[in-house]
Amino acid sequence: MARTGGDAASIADETALNAAYARASGIARRCFDAVAADAALAASAGAQVLLGKGEAASVAADRLARHLRERLALLGDILDA
């Protein structure tokens, strides 16, 4: 069942993702890998920008967190986990 949005309930747990990845086709794995790489890049870039910004970074941090939750939910959707 596909989930939408990026709330915590829509994010598959690590065990479910690992099992689903092991069963996934090559195409699904490549798509998953691309989205995972995008999420890692966003997390890294976002963390670098936000370090040392203090209170001024709260809006940007919220946007980054929302983006990462959406990417994680999409990873579960790709594998139907």
Side-chain angles (χ1 to χ4, degrees), residues 12-30:
D13 66 48
E14 184 178 352
T15 302
L17 282 177
N18 284 333
Y21 188 88
R23 294 187 309 268
S25 68
I27 293 170
R29 285 183 183 193
R30 284 190 295 278

Side-chain angles (χ1 to χ4, degrees), residues 13-66:
D13 66 48
E14 184 178 352
T15 302
L17 282 177
N18 284 333
Y21 188 88
R23 294 187 309 268
S25 68
I27 293 170
R29 285 183 183 193
R30 284 190 295 278
C31 187
F32 179 96
D33 292 343
V35 172
D38 173 67
L41 184 64
S44 176
Q48 288 177 6
V49 168
L50 294 174
L51 285 174
K53 297 291 184 183
E55 288 283 323
S58 63
V59 173
D62 287 341
R63 291 184 69 194
L64 175 61
R66 184 172 46 252

